[in-house]
Amino acid sequence: QVQLVESGGGSVQAGGSLRLSCAASGRTFSSYAMGWFRQAPGKEREFVAAINWSGGNTYYADSVKGRFTGSRDNAKNTVYLQMNSLKPEDTAVYYCAARSGGEITAGWEMYGMDYWGKGTLVTVSS
C-alpha cells in the first residue's frame, strides 16, 4: 500500500511560480512511475505530467510544456512539480498518482493509476 500526500499549493498571481510536492509512504517508491493530474472547477480531471522511476524520463501535457517540470527524489520518497509562468487557467486541484512498473511511454496517463493523493489547490489570479 502506498499513501500519497500533496503539498505546496496556494494562491499566486499570474506569471508567478509554485512548487508542489508529493510525499509517498512505503519502501518501493522507486518502482513506481509518478504522475501529476489536475481538476479545474466544473471540468474533468486532466493529465499534467509523468515522471518515470528515476526521473530521467518525463513528458507533459501540451498546455504546460515549457512551463512545468516534474522531478523526483527517491531518497526522500518525493515527487515534485515545479510550475512557472502560471496562468489563471492553471487554477485547479492538483493530484499526484502512482502506478507500478516504473517506466512511462506515450499514453501512460490513459491507464488506471494504482494510487492517488487527495490533492492540493492551486489558485492563479489575473
Side-chain angles (χ1 to χ4, degrees):
Q1 189 81 346
V2 174
Q3 291 187 324
L4 303 174
V5 180
E6 302 94 337
S7 61
S11 297
V12 64
Q13 289 191 326
S17 299
L18 282 174
R19 188 175 81 153
L20 305 183
S21 300
C22 173
S25 65
R27 300 180 181 179
T28 59
F29 177 69
S30 62
S31 67
Y32 289 84
M34 301 297 294
W36 286 97
F37 296 77
R38 67 186 182 186
Q39 187 167 18
K43 295 187 177 181
E44 294 189 353
R45 187 162 55 192
E46 64 177 2
F47 167 74
V48 175
I51 305 105
N52 81 328
W53 70 275
S54 68
N57 187 17
T58 57
Y59 74 90
Y60 304 91
D62 288 343
S63 59
V64 306
K65 202 172 295 182
R67 300 188 297 124
F68 290 11
T69 303
S71 62
R72 65 191 293 162
D73 184 339
N74 288 340
K76 296 182 177 180
N77 278 16
T78 302
V79 64
Y80 304 97
L81 185 68
Q82 177 66 42
M83 306 186 295
N84 298 330
S85 302
L86 283 161
K87 305 175 181 180
E89 51 264 43
D90 293 319
T91 294
V93 177
Y94 283 72
Y95 301 89
C96 70
R99 192 167 79 227
S100 62
E103 279 302 342
I104 58 173
T105 56
W108 174 87
E109 72 277 10
M110 302 297 290
Y111 298 94
M113 299 296 127
D114 294 324
Y115 302 101
W116 290 92
K118 294 185 177 181
T120 186
L121 176 63
V122 172
T123 304
V124 184
S125 58
S126 57

